[in-house]
Amino acid sequence: MIPLVKTFIPERKELMPALERELYSGYIATGDTVSLFEQNFGTLIENENFIALNSGSAALHIALCLAGIEPGDEVISTPMTAEPTNTVIAQTGAKIVWADVDPKTGLISPNSIRSKITERTKAIVVVHYAGMVCDMRAINAISQASNIPVIEDDAHALLAQFEGKPIGSNSAFTCFSFQAIKQMTTVDGGGIAVKDPSLVSEAKRLRWFGLDKGVSRLGNDIKRIGYKYAMNNVTAAMGLVQIDHVEGNVGSCILNGRYYDERLLGISGVTTVPYYADTKPSYWLYTMKVDRRDDFIRAMRARGIESSPLHHRSDTHSVFSNSRCDLPGLDEWYSNYVHIPCGWWVGDEEREKIVEAVRAGW
């Protein structure tokens, strides 16, 4: 079976010495190795204002804290995402206001965002779902006109691009995940990139109980409650090894995605997804729309290929019941989108098999 997702772990001879150095160094908490990882990952995304954390959820929470989100505020978000994007918003006590999606792409609709803004709106969360990049040109214009910060959830779209640059420095906050099945993993982990360098120190305090690690523990004065969100040196050591491979791995995803973009055109029952101006996807998953999705998934499985819609639309969860509203674009999108394997483990032979399986019908 060709899997839809798969964890990349570097070769033992490369990874294990790096981990052993940290494990037996005498210091495995947040230290110099985390700082080096922050520096190297910041270079990768072309934003030196990067803070490493223990999860992508922690990154989202810190972004919301830095944006000043409080109970009673409203945060516009998309229900077309993995659940943590929105459960973290709920943790702040803010009300989630659903924006609809573009039914052609499944990505948050700028027109819907604009229509949902009220005087209580304090942030806009957008998700670069499955490696596709939102219409940031339009979303930037909305943010600038309304003076409402944008939080980009980039958990699915490492090294995707907007206006020729990696996602990571366009908006006030960009959140990353290094969870097990992402394009780069540290087993678990995440990070936040901020546009304003003056927020880096505050973000670092928030990740460690509100303490300033540049001051002795006895000399600290907590002025704002923080959290236990820091990355540790062992996780960072794995991240440093992964960075050496990430451009190659994501490059393979991109080559496969572009191959599908060309080879799946014109197949009966298949609709490929368009990409917005000035964006380049990184294809964590390959996303398309198909007629009779359940039949498609069964046919692919019978041919040794895993396919799935993968994510449950967030707006139907009971915990978000007070945010429910009509979302016709999402209804249309959710009825027939599907993912097929696109990752680094899909070679020339596998991707040809996948295309031929789709061409064979269902």
Side-chain angles (χ1 to χ4, degrees), residues 221-268:
D221 175 28
I222 294 176
K223 297 180 176 65
R224 181 181 184 182
I225 294 297
Y227 307 90
K228 194 176 188 301
Y229 284 166
M231 180 177 280
N232 62 68
N233 278 356
V234 180
T235 298
M238 183 171 185
L240 286 167
V241 177
Q242 289 277 18
I243 285 175
D244 290 338
H245 297 274
V246 67
E247 290 181 296
N249 286 344
V250 173
S252 294
C253 298
I254 292 170
L255 287 174
N256 288 335
R258 290 174 177 170
Y259 179 85
Y260 292 145
D261 284 341
E262 294 178 2
R263 295 293 304 278
L264 295 175
L265 280 174
I267 297 178
S268 178

Side-chain angles (χ1 to χ4, degrees), residues 185-200:
T185 182
T186 57
V187 178
D188 215 340
I192 179 172
V194 298
K195 195 166 188 177
D196 182 353
S198 71
L199 293 176
V200 171

Side-chain angles (χ1 to χ4, degrees), residues 9 25-26 32 46-47 52 57 137 151-152 168 195 207 214 242 295 313 315 340:
I9 302 294
S25 68
D32 290 344
E46 299 182 19
N47 184 352
S57 299
R137 182 189 291 174
I151 299 170
E152 296 183 50
K195 195 166 188 177
R207 76 174 175 184
Q242 289 277 18
D295 292 339
R313 53 187 286 179
D315 62 315
I340 56 175

